[in-house]
Amino acid sequence: MSLVQNFPFFSIFLCIFGGVVTSVLNKKAARRVTLCISAIVFLMSATVWHYTLSATGSYSFMMGHFPAPFGNEIRIGRLEAVMATLFSFIMFMTLLSGLFNLDNHAQPQKQNLFFVMVDLSLAALLVMLYTNDLFTAYVFIEIMTIASCALIMVRQNGHTLVSATRYMIMNLLASGITLLGISMLYGITGHLLMPQLKQAVSVIHQRGLYSVPLTVVVLLLTVGLSIKSALFPFHSWAPDAYGNAPPVSAAILSGLVSKGYIFLLIKIFYRVIGMDVVRSQHILEVLFVFGIAGMLIGSVSAVRQRDIRRMVAYSSVAQIGYVFMGIGMGTAAGTAAALFHMVAHAAAKPVLFISSAALTDASGDHKRFHFLHGAGYRCKAAGVSFSITAMSMVGIPLTAGFISKVRLSLAGMVLPDAYRFAVLFTLAISTLLNAVYFLHTVVSVYRKASPEAQQAVPCPLHPMTLQSKVSLVILALLTLILGVLSGPVMQSIFAGLRSFS
Amino acid sequence: MNGFLMVVALVLPVLAGLMVGFVPQIGLHRKTRSIFVGAALALQCLIVVLIALGGEKTVVILHLSENLPIALRSDTLGVIFSLIMTAMWTASAFFAFSYMTHEKNEKTYYAFFMMTLGVLMALCFAATLVTMYLFFEAVTLLSLELVLHERTKESIAASIKYLIYSVAGATMGLLGIFFLVPNTTSSYFVLGGSLNVEALTVAPSALLGVLFLTIVGFSTKAGMFPMHGWLPTAHPVAPSPASAVLSGVITKAGVICVIRVIYYSVGVEFLRGTWVQMALLTLATVTVFMGSMMALNESLLKKRLAFSSVSQVSYILCGLFLFDRTALTGALLHVIFHALIKDGLFLFAGAVIFKTGYTYVDQLKGLGRKMPVVFLCFTILSLGLIGIPPTGGFISKWYIAEGAIAGLSHFPVPVFTWLVPAILLISALLTAGYLLPVSITGFFSQPDEEASQAKLNEVCEPCRLMTVPLIILTLAVVFLGVFPNLMIDIFDSLAALLV
Amino acid sequence: MLIFAVLFPMAAGALFPLFRFKEDKSRGLYVMAVVLITSAVALPQIILGTAAREILFQITETLPIAFRLDGVGRIFAGIVAVLWPLSSLYALEYMQHEKNLDAFFSFYTICFGVTLGIACASNLMTLYLFYELMTLITLPLVMHGGSQRSVRAGLKYLYYSIGGAALAFIGLVYVIYYGGTTEFAYGGVSVFTAGQTEHNMRIGYLICFFGFGVKAAVFPLHDWLPDASVAPTPVTALLHAVAVVKSGVFAIIRITWFTFAPALLAGTFAQYIPLALCVFTIVYGCTMALKEQNLKRRLAYSTVSNLSYILFGALLMTSQGLRGGLMHMVYHAVMKITLFLCAGVYLQKGVEYVQDMRGLHRAMPVATAVFALGSLAMTGIPPLLGFGSKWALAEAAVFEGGLLPVAGIVALVISATLTAFYLIIPSVSTYVSRGVKAYAPGELSSGWKALSPLLIISLVMMFFSFWPMLLTDFITYAAAGGL
C-alpha cells in the first residue's frame, strides 16, 4: 500500500486531533491551527485524487483491525477523492474569507470553541465521503449534528438561540430516524459493513423475504437524511438556521454539511441497498417530486423575502431541490448531474453568504434591500463575488450553474415525456425565479444610493481584510473555473460512479 | 428620343417646382414667378404634344430589383390622359396667377402645384404596375399641400382625411399588385391584359376577392362609394384653382389606375359576369345617384360641385365596369369632357369668390347681370355636364348608356340591364336640378336686402387672366361636342383592343 | 481575427473604469478609437467572407465556443459594424450632459463585442452564451437614467429576457440531445430530418422559438420593448432597433434555417403557430403604435411590428421568404435607427410627444426632413427602401400560397396603411405651424456630432433605394445558403 493511500485516514485523524488541540488554544492560535489543518487536508485530498486517476477502481482501508461485522472501514475511489478535494478547498477558502467579522458574532473567549467545531465538521464531512460502514457513518452523523449546532450557537442572541434549538430538534429527530433505519437493517441482515450489507440485501430482495421491513428501512434512511439536508418538505428549519447564524457558519452548513448527508444517502442507495432494489421501492419518484417541489417553493419563498440573508437561505432549499431531482431520475447520468450540482452549489453558496454579510456590514448592518443600494461600490470585492455566484445560480453560461443545468437537462431527456417536461420546465421556471431574486439584488447592490443615504452609512466595524477579499474572489472564480473546465471533474464523477457500488 | 422626352415631362415640372420653392428670386417675386411658371407650363404642353405625335416609345428609369423596372411608355392611353391633364393644369395655373394674389404663401402653392404635375405625367405614362403605384403615392403626397394650403383648422382636418383615405386606397391597390405581378405573364402593361389564368399561384376565388379590393382601392382617388368621404371635404377647402385640378384631374389619376388594372393587367374576361363586376357596378351606380342627391341638398357652391364630381366620375367608372367597347369609349370621352367642364365650373366658383367673397348659392342673386361672361360660361358648361346636345357631355353619356344596354344584355343578374341606364338618366335630371338654378339665380333674381344690392353695384367682371381660361374651356367643350369624331375614332379603336 | 473583433471591444470596454476620463473629449476619442478599430477589423472579413472557423475554447467536449462567418452572419455583422460607429458618435453628443458616462460607454462598447459575438457564432452554444451576456450588458444601459421608471423598465426587460433564455435553453438541450452537435449548417442539422424523433424535435423548436421570441418581440412576449424606450436614445436607437431585437430575430433565423431544418418544420404546427403569431404581431404592433402618443414608445411598437415582418419571411420556409426577411432586417435597421436618432434629437429639445411636433420644421430643418424621409421609407413608399423588402416578402408569400401566407400579405398591407398614419401624419405636422408659437429658424438645431450620423444614414438609405442590387444580390446568395 503506498503512502498516498493512507492520506484519507490521516486527514480524518488530523481533523479530530486538531479539534482536540484547539480546545485549549486561544483565539488566534486556534484560528491558525484550523486554517493549517484545512489547507493540509486539501493538499492531501488533492494528492489522493491524483492517485485515483491512475489507479483502477477504488480501494478499501480498514481503520483499526476489528473484524467484520464490527469493523470501521473507509473506501476511496475517484468520486470520493474528487469530492473531498473540492470540499476541502472550499472549506479552506471559506474560512479564509469568512472569518473577518467573527468578532461581531462570537465573543473572543468563545472563539476557540468555534474552531473546534469547524475541525470536527471537517472530520465528519470527510468520513461521510469515505466511510464504508454504517456504524462509523452514524457516529459521525451525530458528531456533525452537534458540531453544526454549535456553529450556529456561537452567536448568542435571541433569534439565533431559537433557530439553533429548532435546528437541534429537527436534526436529532432525523438522526433518530436514521438510527432506527440502521438498526432495522442490521436486524434484517446482521451486517454493518457496506459490501456485506449489499450482498445480504440483494439476497433478501431476490427471495422476497422481509419486503415490508426493507421498504421501511429505505424509507427511514431516506427521510432521516433528507431532513438533515433540508429537502422539501422538511426544510423549514433551514432558513432560520442559515439566516441567523454567523455568515461563516451558514456558509459551512449550507455549502458543505448538507452535501455530506446527501452524499451519504447516495452511497447508501448505491452501496448498501443497491440501485435496482431502490428503484423497485419507488422511493426515487418521491424524491423526484419533492426535488421539483423544493426547487419551485424554495425560489418562490426567496422572492418574497425582504432580508438578503434569508433570501440566500431559501435559495439553498431550492438548490437542494435540484440535487434531489437529479437523484430522483434514477439514472447514472442523473446522479452524476446531481453530484456536479452539489459541487457547484458548494462552491457558490459560501460566497453568497459571506459576500452578503460583507455588503450588509458596509451598509450599516441592515439586511433589508433598500439599505443595500450602492453597497457594491462600498465593498467592491463582495459585490463582484456576489454577482458572479448569482450568475451561477441563474445558470448563465461560463458558470458552474450552467453546466449543472445542461447535465440535469440532458439526463432528463431520456426519461418518459411527463418527467422530461417536468425537468425541463421546472429548470426554466427556476431559472427565471432565481433571476428575479438574485439579479434583482445585484441590481440593487449596484444602484447608486441617494446622497443623503450615502452620508448616513457608518463605516463597518470589521471591514474585510485584504486576505478575506482575495480569498472570496478566488472562491468566486472557482465557480467560473468549474463552468469552463468542468471536464476533469465530470470525468472523475462518471468514472467514480461506475465503480461506486 | 421620345422615350427620353417622357422623362423630361416628369422632371421639368418637378424641377420647376423645386426652383420656385428654393430659389428666392423666383419664388418670392410674383411677377417673376408667374412668368417662370407660365413658361414652364407652356414648355410642358409642347413636350406632351411632341410625345403624342411621336408614337409609342418606352424608357426604363431604374430597376428596383431584377424584375421590377420603373418604366414609362407613351401608349395611347397615356398620351390621352397626359394631354388633358396638362391642358387643365395650364388653364388652372393662368387662372391662379390672378386668383392667388388674395392668398398667402403662394410660393409653396406653386412649388407643389408644379411637382404634382410632373408625377402625374409619370403616372399617365407608367408602363408597369409598380411604376404606377409609385407615382400614385407620389401624387397623393405632393397634392397634400394643395388641400392643406389655407392652413385653417378645416383644411388641416381635410388634408388628414385625404391622406388617410388615399393611403388606405393605395395600399388596397398595392395588395392587388402583390398578387398580380407574379400571376401575369408580362410585367409591362399589355392591351387586353396578361393574366396567367392556367397557372395561378392562388385560388381564383381568392384572386377575385383581392381584385375587388384593389379596384375599390384605386377608386378612392376617384371618389367612389364607400371611399368617397374625403372628396366633399377636401375639394371645397382648397383654393379654387386647386379645387379645379383636384376635381378635374387628380380624380382621373384614380381612373387611369383602374383602367390599367382591369384592361391592361387582368383582362376583362376574368372578371366578366363575376360577383366582382356586379359589386363594382352597384357601387358605381350608387355613387352616381348618391352624389347627385347630395349635390342637390348642398347650398355651399364648391361643395355642391365636389359632390357633382363624386357623381360624374362614377359615371366614368360605371362605363369602365361595363366591360363593353362602346361604354369604354364613352368613359374615355367623359374623362375629357368632365375634366374640361369641372375645371371650368370651379374656375367660375373661384371668380365669384375672388370678386365678391360669396360662397353660397343663394348669395349669387343677380350676380349674373354684373358678370355676364362668367355666368354664361357657367351655363354652357352646365349644359355640357347635364348632357344636352350639342355639348360634349351628351356624347359621352350617350355612349355609356348604349354600352350599358348592350354590355349588360347577357348579364347574369337581369335587373342591371335596365337599372343602370335608368340611374344614368335620373342622374342627368338631378344634375340639371343642381346646376341650372345657379344660372337662373344669377340672371333672373334680385338680391333681397339693400346692403347686398349696394354691394352688387360695385361688382364687375373679373380680369382677363381669369375669364380667358374660362372662355377657352367653354369653347373647347362646345367645339369638341360639335366635332367629336377625331376623338371618338381614337378612343374607339383603343377600346376595341382592350375589350 | 474574428475572435479579436469580438473580444477587443469587450476588453477595451471593461478597462474603462481604469481610465477615469476627466474630459469628454478624451473619453470620446477612446470610445471612437475602439469602435472604429473593431469595425475596421471586422468589415474586411465581412465583405470578403473568410469562412474559416475559429475556436475560442471548449466548455465541454460537445460545446465549443467558436466563431465563423457565413452569408447570413455576414449580413447581421455588417449591419452592426456599420451602424455602431455612427451611433457612438451620436451618443457622445447626446450624452454630454449626463452623469456616469464612464460606466455608460464601458457597457456600450462591451455590447458591440457581444453583438458581434452573436453574429459570428458558429454554433448554438456560442450564440446562447453571447445572447445571455447581451441581456446582462444591456441591463445597465437601459437603467442608466436611474429613475424608478428606468429601474422598473430594466427589471422587466431582465425578467422577460431571462425567462426567454430559459426556454431557449430547453431548445438548446433538445439540439444537444438529438443532434450531438450544436453547429449551424444551412438547411438544418441533417440528423434531425431523419428518424422517428420528428415530433419531439418540433416541440423543441416551438419552445426554442418562444424563448428567442422574447427578444424578437413576438406577441405576447413583446411587452418589455415599449417600456425599455425610457432608456437614453442612443441605447434605444442602437440596442432596441438594431442590436438586441435583431439578435432575437437573428437567433430565430438560425434555429429555423441552420439547426432545426425547414424540411422538418414546414407544413406542421411547428411552422403554423409561430407564423400565425407573427402575422398577428404585424398588425398588433401597428395598432398599438397608432394609439401611442409618446414618440419613442410609438417607434418601439413600430419595431414590434416590423420584427415580425422579418420573422414572417423566415418562417415561410422558402429561401425566397428568407431573402425577404433578411432584406427587411437590413432595411429596417437603417430606417428605424434613423427615426430613433431623430426622436432623440427632438427629445433633447423637449419634444417628447407627437402633438408637440407641430411646426417643428422651422426650428430643426435637418432633423425633421430626415424624419420625414424615414417615415416615407418605413411606410414602404416606392422607390424608397422599405418598399423593396415589403415587395420581396409579399412576392415570396404569394408564391407559397396557402392561408397563412396570404393572411400575412393582408397584414403587411394593413400595417403599411397604419404606418402611414402613425408616421407620415406626424411628419407632415412638423411642416404645419398653425396654432403653435412660431419658432425662429434653426432655433433648436443640434450639433454636428448628432446631425452627421443622421445625414450619413439618410444618404446610405437613398443610395440603396436606387441601387439596391448591391445588397439584394448578396442577400439572395446568402438566403440560398451561400457563405
Side-chain angles (χ1 to χ4, degrees):
Chain A
M1 204 178 243
S2 65
L3 178 63
V4 179
Q5 290 179 304
N6 290 305
F7 279 173
F9 173 66
F10 286 166
S11 319
I12 300 170
F13 185 70
L14 186 60
C15 292
I16 298 177
F17 184 68
V20 169
V21 165
T22 346
S23 59
V24 297
L25 295 176
N26 70 11
K27 172 182 101 174
K28 269 208 173 137
R31 180 177 168 150
R32 286 210 193 102
V33 166
T34 308
L35 283 171
C36 275
I37 288 175
S38 51
I40 296 174
V41 166
F42 164 60
L43 289 171
M44 288 202 285
S45 307
T47 328
V48 172
W49 183 22
H50 178 77
Y51 171 79
T52 57
L53 286 176
S54 46
T56 47
S58 41
Y59 65 92
S60 306
F61 186 98
M62 275 175 62
M63 306 192 293
H65 278 268
F66 295 106
F70 300 110
N72 298 329
E73 205 176 81
I74 57 176
R75 189 166 134 184
I76 300 99
R78 232 188 270 188
L79 180 58
E80 298 90 327
V82 71
M83 301 296 270
T85 312
L86 289 169
F87 285 166
S88 48
F89 177 74
I90 293 170
M91 173 69 91
F92 179 52
M93 282 297 163
T94 307
L95 288 173
L96 265 184
S97 53
L99 292 172
F100 66 94
N101 63 356
L102 193 58
D103 287 332
N104 280 352
H105 303 284
Q107 299 158 311
Q109 39 296 33
K110 291 251 180 82
Q111 279 183 21
N112 64 331
L113 286 178
F114 174 83
F115 290 108
V116 173
M117 296 305 156
V118 169
D119 289 326
L120 289 179
S121 305
L122 185 55
L125 182 64
L126 290 170
V127 166
M128 306 261 192
L129 292 175
Y130 290 136
T131 186
N132 207 22
D133 76 277
L134 282 183
F135 178 70
T136 321
Y138 182 70
V139 168
F140 279 89
I141 287 178
E142 290 297 280
I143 294 180
M144 181 86 107
T145 307
I146 297 174
S148 326
C149 198
L151 282 176
I152 300 177
M153 264 174 49
V154 107
R155 190 183 194 206
Q156 298 266 319
N157 72 24
H159 284 297
T160 319
L161 286 175
V162 169
S163 317
T165 314
R166 209 160 155 193
Y167 178 82
M168 194 69 163
I169 295 174
M170 291 295 283
N171 266 269
L172 286 179
L173 183 67
S175 301
I177 294 176
T178 317
L179 181 60
L180 205 53
I182 294 176
S183 15
M184 273 187 78
L185 192 57
Y186 177 65
I188 309 176
T189 58
H191 289 286
L192 285 174
L193 284 176
M194 292 191 183
Q196 284 82 333
L197 267 173
K198 184 157 183 203
Q199 244 179 337
V201 168
S202 72
V203 164
I204 292 176
H205 181 71
Q206 267 172 357
R207 294 202 195 141
L209 307 166
Y210 298 121
S211 59
V212 170
L214 196 56
T215 314
V216 171
V217 161
V218 170
L219 195 65
L220 288 173
L221 289 172
T222 313
V223 167
L225 288 171
S226 303
I227 295 177
K228 284 180 170 301
S229 37
L231 171 65
F232 174 88
F234 312 117
H235 64 284
S236 48
W237 56 268
D240 281 330
Y242 299 158
N244 289 319
V248 68
S249 305
I252 295 174
L253 288 175
S254 73
L256 298 171
V257 166
S258 51
K259 307 306 181 299
Y261 295 129
I262 303 179
F263 192 85
L264 187 60
L265 183 63
I266 296 178
K267 191 183 293 194
I268 291 178
F269 281 167
Y270 270 78
R271 224 184 270 175
V272 176
I273 317 282
M275 275 313 269
D276 28 336
V277 178
V278 172
R279 275 193 209 107
S280 66
Q281 306 289 339
H282 299 293
I283 193 76
L284 292 176
E285 281 89 326
V286 176
L287 286 179
F288 182 83
V289 170
F290 280 164
I292 289 189
M295 280 166 78
L296 294 174
I297 293 184
S299 287
V300 167
S301 309
V303 170
R304 289 164 47 206
Q305 293 306 311
R306 294 274 144 260
D307 173 341
I308 191 174
R309 288 260 286 285
R310 282 180 76 85
M311 181 189 89
V312 176
Y314 270 106
S315 158
S316 289
V317 173
Q319 298 293 317
I320 297 293
Y322 279 64
V323 175
F324 275 96
M325 181 178 81
I327 298 174
M329 290 188 206
T331 60
T335 314
L339 285 165
F340 184 84
H341 194 69
M342 279 165 60
V343 172
H345 183 239
K349 212 19 85 65
V351 176
L352 284 170
F353 272 115
I354 295 175
S355 54
S356 58
L359 290 171
T360 50
D361 275 356
S363 312
D365 206 26
H366 292 283
K367 293 185 195 169
R368 307 222 153 204
F369 293 111
H370 180 71
F371 294 94
L372 289 174
H373 288 337
Y377 302 108
R378 293 193 282 271
C379 189
K380 296 201 177 64
V384 167
S385 314
F386 188 88
S387 309
I388 295 176
T389 39
M391 306 291 177
S392 181
M393 294 285 108
V394 172
I396 306 284
L398 298 186
T399 61
F402 179 71
I403 304 288
S404 300
K405 273 175 68 175
V406 172
R407 294 283 173 201
L408 283 169
S409 306
L410 285 175
M413 287 294 281
V414 292
L415 302 174
D417 263 0
Y419 288 95
R420 171 200 291 192
F421 287 126
V423 170
L424 293 175
F425 281 106
T426 315
L427 274 174
I429 297 174
S430 180
T431 307
L432 179 57
L433 289 172
N434 270 282
V436 170
Y437 55 88
F438 270 123
L439 293 185
H440 190 171
T441 311
V442 172
V443 166
S444 298
V445 159
Y446 282 106
R447 255 175 100 167
K448 285 279 163 86
S450 55
E452 316 82 52
Q454 281 276 44
Q455 303 288 359
V457 171
C459 279
L461 211 49
H462 294 280
M464 280 185 101
T465 60
L466 181 61
Q467 182 191 57
S468 316
K469 286 186 191 171
V470 169
S471 331
L472 191 61
V473 172
I474 293 179
L475 199 51
L477 288 179
L478 179 63
T479 307
L480 290 178
I481 294 174
L482 283 174
V484 173
L485 293 174
S486 62
V489 174
M490 276 315 287
Q491 260 173 15
S492 292
I493 293 178
F494 270 118
L497 259 186
R498 274 197 290 275
S499 60
F500 199 49
S501 40
Chain B
M1 178 59 188
N2 280 350
F4 181 66
L5 267 185
M6 285 189 282
V7 180
V8 175
L10 158 66
V11 172
L12 172 65
V14 172
L15 216 56
L18 286 171
M19 284 172 76
V20 168
F22 287 107
V23 179
Q25 288 78 9
I26 305 178
L28 292 173
H29 297 136
R30 182 171 298 143
K31 202 147 180 224
T32 331
R33 181 181 60 224
S34 308
I35 295 177
F36 182 77
V37 170
L41 282 170
L43 195 54
Q44 179 78 354
C45 290
L46 182 62
I47 292 174
V48 170
V49 168
L50 284 176
I51 295 175
L53 296 173
E56 185 170 311
K57 295 275 171 25
T58 315
V59 67
V60 176
I61 301 180
L62 66 104
H63 281 271
L64 281 184
S65 79
E66 315 77 48
N67 49 3
L68 280 186
I70 303 294
L72 302 176
R73 175 181 290 173
S74 54
D75 64 346
T76 324
L77 189 72
V79 162
I80 296 172
F81 273 81
S82 61
L83 281 171
I84 184 70
M85 286 184 180
T86 315
M88 293 304 98
W89 220 263
T90 316
S92 165
F94 278 93
F95 182 88
F97 290 149
S98 176
Y99 181 90
M100 297 298 286
T101 53
H102 277 195
E103 301 279 337
K104 301 188 296 281
N105 234 343
E106 296 171 64
K107 175 182 78 152
T108 358
Y109 177 84
Y110 284 107
F112 280 93
F113 187 77
M114 294 305 292
M115 291 199 278
T116 314
L117 178 64
V119 290
L120 272 171
M121 293 295 101
L123 178 64
C124 296
F125 292 128
T128 73
L129 281 170
V130 177
T131 317
M132 184 181 87
Y133 174 76
L134 192 160
F135 288 108
F136 188 73
E137 290 275 39
V139 166
T140 302
L141 291 171
L142 290 171
S143 57
L144 205 58
E145 155 65 22
L146 299 180
V147 177
L148 194 53
H149 184 81
E150 302 283 325
R151 301 288 198 270
T152 59
K153 244 170 59 179
E154 295 82 23
S155 57
I156 295 177
S159 64
I160 293 180
K161 201 169 179 182
Y162 174 49
L163 185 63
I164 291 177
Y165 272 88
S166 295
V167 169
T171 31
M172 280 161 80
L174 183 62
L175 180 68
I177 297 180
F178 284 148
F179 282 87
L180 279 175
V181 167
N183 283 308
T184 48
T185 48
S186 162
S187 46
Y188 286 85
F189 290 132
V190 168
L191 291 167
S194 64
L195 189 63
N196 194 355
V197 189
E198 294 88 45
L200 289 178
T201 61
V202 289
S205 46
L207 189 58
L208 277 177
V210 167
L211 285 174
F212 175 71
L213 287 175
T214 314
I215 297 173
V216 170
F218 282 125
S219 305
T220 312
K221 258 296 188 290
M224 185 175 83
F225 179 88
M227 308 293 281
H228 65 287
W230 62 277
L231 211 151
T233 330
H235 286 192
V237 91
S240 296
S243 312
V245 293
L246 281 169
S247 262
V249 177
I250 292 183
T251 48
K252 310 305 183 298
V255 170
I256 192 176
C257 288
V258 172
I259 298 178
R260 292 292 194 194
V261 169
I262 299 179
Y263 292 94
Y264 284 81
S265 298
V266 179
V268 290
E269 289 316 313
F270 187 74
L271 293 171
R272 195 189 292 280
T274 62
W275 64 271
V276 177
Q277 184 184 15
M278 280 195 279
L280 289 171
L281 270 176
T282 316
L283 288 175
T285 336
V286 164
T287 318
V288 169
F289 182 70
M290 187 194 73
S292 316
M293 287 300 291
M294 303 293 286
L296 206 53
N297 278 333
E298 187 58 51
S299 50
L300 199 59
L301 179 60
K302 281 174 75 173
K303 204 159 181 183
R304 182 179 286 200
L305 294 176
F307 277 117
S308 165
S309 291
V310 170
S311 174
Q312 294 293 320
V313 178
S314 282
Y315 264 94
I316 303 174
L317 291 175
C318 217
L320 294 178
F321 297 147
L322 287 166
F323 300 159
D324 177 82
R325 178 175 160 177
T326 328
L328 181 57
T329 315
L332 290 172
L333 284 169
H334 205 58
V335 167
I336 307 290
F337 286 122
H338 177 254
L340 289 169
I341 294 172
K342 201 36 75 62
D343 225 49
L345 292 176
F346 269 105
L347 294 187
F348 160 79
V352 167
I353 295 176
F354 186 77
K355 275 295 174 182
T356 64
Y358 291 152
T359 50
Y360 283 89
V361 171
D362 47 7
Q363 289 171 319
L364 301 178
K365 293 193 177 131
L367 212 51
R369 291 190 291 274
K370 286 295 180 168
M371 307 203 302
V373 173
V374 165
F375 267 81
L376 191 60
C377 291
F378 178 85
T379 317
I380 299 175
L381 290 170
S382 305
L383 295 176
L385 200 60
I386 298 167
I388 297 183
T391 58
F394 169 71
I395 302 174
S396 53
K397 291 195 178 178
W398 178 260
Y399 268 74
I400 294 179
E402 201 185 307
I405 299 173
L408 291 177
S409 52
H410 303 296
F411 215 58
V413 182
V415 74
F416 281 98
T417 323
W418 57 264
L419 192 62
V420 174
I423 300 279
L424 296 180
L425 183 61
I426 296 173
S427 193
L429 293 173
L430 292 173
T431 311
Y434 63 72
L435 282 180
L436 289 180
V438 177
S439 309
I440 296 173
T441 322
F443 283 123
F444 300 118
S445 293
Q446 289 283 356
D448 312 312
E449 297 144 10
E450 285 303 314
S452 338
Q453 176 69 35
K455 190 160 178 206
L456 195 57
N457 291 332
E458 295 161 11
V459 172
C460 63
E461 200 74 50
C463 71
R464 261 191 287 259
L465 265 179
M466 288 195 170
T467 51
V468 167
L470 198 49
I471 297 173
I472 294 181
L473 287 174
T474 319
L475 289 175
V477 171
V478 176
F479 179 75
L480 289 173
V482 174
F483 300 109
N485 291 314
L486 179 62
M487 270 201 323
I488 295 179
D489 285 338
I490 299 175
F491 292 172
D492 195 50
S493 46
L494 178 61
L497 294 171
L498 291 176
V499 177
Chain C
M1 289 314 279
L2 283 176
I3 296 184
F4 178 81
V6 171
L7 291 180
F8 173 68
M10 289 174 75
L15 290 177
F16 232 100
L18 295 177
F19 288 103
R20 280 175 218 273
F21 291 106
K22 286 291 188 307
E23 285 179 43
D24 283 343
K25 195 158 168 226
S26 36
R27 179 185 306 122
L29 282 173
Y30 181 79
V31 170
M32 288 312 293
V34 169
V35 169
L36 285 172
I37 292 176
T38 313
S39 290
V41 167
L43 278 171
Q45 300 178 70
I46 294 171
I47 297 177
L48 298 174
T50 54
R53 184 166 170 265
E54 302 168 25
I55 300 183
L56 188 55
F57 61 87
Q58 304 258 10
I59 294 190
T60 71
E61 327 75 55
T62 50
L63 298 176
I65 303 295
F67 302 105
R68 191 175 76 112
L69 274 184
D70 61 352
V72 170
R74 281 161 71 188
I75 293 175
F76 185 40
I79 298 175
V80 173
V82 166
L83 291 179
W84 214 281
L86 293 171
S87 176
S88 304
L89 189 62
Y90 177 90
L92 285 168
E93 153 112 10
Y94 189 91
M95 304 290 292
Q96 252 170 10
H97 306 290
E98 302 270 342
K99 308 186 296 279
N100 286 338
L101 288 180
D102 277 350
F104 180 85
F105 281 105
S106 164
F107 286 112
Y108 204 75
T109 341
I110 296 178
C111 194
F112 188 16
V114 171
T115 317
L116 282 178
I118 295 180
C120 302
S122 159
N123 54 49
L124 190 56
M125 178 67 234
T126 315
L127 186 121
Y128 182 79
L129 165 65
F130 282 96
Y131 198 82
E132 290 265 50
L133 285 179
M134 169 168 275
T135 305
L136 297 173
I137 298 293
T138 51
L139 184 65
L141 289 172
V142 170
M143 295 201 294
H144 184 83
S147 63
Q148 265 295 76
R149 229 176 110 203
S150 313
V151 172
R152 262 205 302 266
L155 287 175
K156 194 172 186 179
Y157 168 55
L158 178 67
Y159 299 155
Y160 268 85
S161 296
I162 299 281
L167 288 177
F169 175 77
I170 296 180
L172 176 67
V173 170
Y174 268 80
V175 172
I176 300 175
Y177 183 72
Y178 285 111
T181 171
T182 60
E183 287 299 313
F184 292 132
Y186 182 79
V189 177
S190 53
V191 73
F192 293 157
T193 52
Q196 340 74 309
T197 57
E198 279 179 12
H199 182 73
N200 286 330
M201 290 306 295
R202 291 189 190 121
I203 294 185
Y205 171 78
L206 200 58
I207 298 176
C208 207
F209 174 83
F210 280 111
F212 287 123
V214 167
K215 277 218 175 38
V218 175
F219 181 89
L221 307 164
H222 64 287
D223 209 28
W224 60 274
L225 189 52
D227 287 340
S229 60
V230 80
T233 308
V235 176
T236 20
L238 195 63
L239 271 34
H240 298 102
V242 175
V244 169
V245 295
K246 292 297 187 301
S247 300
V249 167
F250 183 75
I252 292 184
I253 292 179
R254 281 296 197 198
I255 60 168
T256 313
W257 281 85
F258 292 83
T259 307
F260 299 84
L264 173 74
L265 303 167
T268 68
F269 70 92
Q271 180 192 18
Y272 294 153
I273 296 180
L275 197 54
L277 275 178
C278 287
V279 169
F280 180 77
T281 311
I282 292 178
V283 180
Y284 174 81
C286 279
T287 322
M288 296 302 285
L290 204 50
K291 283 170 49 183
E292 191 59 59
Q293 293 301 318
N294 180 308
L295 182 59
K296 277 174 72 178
R297 283 178 70 95
R298 182 176 277 204
L299 292 177
Y301 274 113
S302 169
T303 303
V304 170
S305 176
N306 276 278
L307 292 173
S308 280
Y309 282 38
I310 304 174
L311 292 178
F312 174 72
L315 289 172
L316 285 173
M317 305 296 177
T318 63
S319 73
Q320 228 189 344
L322 180 60
R323 170 177 175 266
L326 288 172
M327 277 174 74
H328 200 67
M329 191 162 106
V330 177
Y331 292 174
H332 174 254
V334 174
M335 298 188 289
K336 197 37 80 56
I337 200 179
T338 313
L339 289 173
F340 264 115
L341 293 184
C342 290
V345 169
Y346 294 171
L347 190 62
Q348 269 205 315
K349 307 295 179 180
V351 174
E352 195 179 340
Y353 291 90
V354 168
Q355 51 262 39
D356 298 331
M357 279 168 66
R358 260 201 283 159
L360 210 50
H361 168 69
R362 286 190 108 209
M364 303 189 194
V366 175
T368 46
V370 170
F371 189 86
L373 187 64
S375 306
L376 291 174
M378 191 66 96
T379 311
I381 307 279
L384 294 176
L385 221 45
F387 181 75
S389 55
K390 288 199 167 87
W391 181 266
L393 286 169
E395 201 179 22
V398 171
F399 262 90
E400 261 298 284
L403 174 63
L404 273 177
V406 169
I409 299 180
V410 174
L412 275 180
V413 162
I414 295 177
S415 169
T417 317
L418 293 176
T419 310
F421 298 165
Y422 67 71
L423 279 183
I424 296 186
I425 295 185
S427 308
V428 170
S429 77
T430 59
Y431 287 87
V432 175
S433 16
R434 196 205 98 88
V436 188
K437 74 161 178 66
Y439 294 102
E443 181 184 330
L444 299 174
S445 271
S446 307
W448 69 271
K449 276 190 281 197
L451 288 184
S452 46
L454 281 180
L455 289 171
I456 295 175
I457 299 180
S458 310
L459 285 173
V460 168
M461 206 160 54
M462 293 304 287
F463 178 76
F464 282 115
S465 298
F466 291 100
W467 287 276
M469 256 70 83
L470 298 168
L471 279 180
T472 52
D473 285 343
F474 179 69
I475 292 177
T476 317
Y477 166 71
L483 295 170

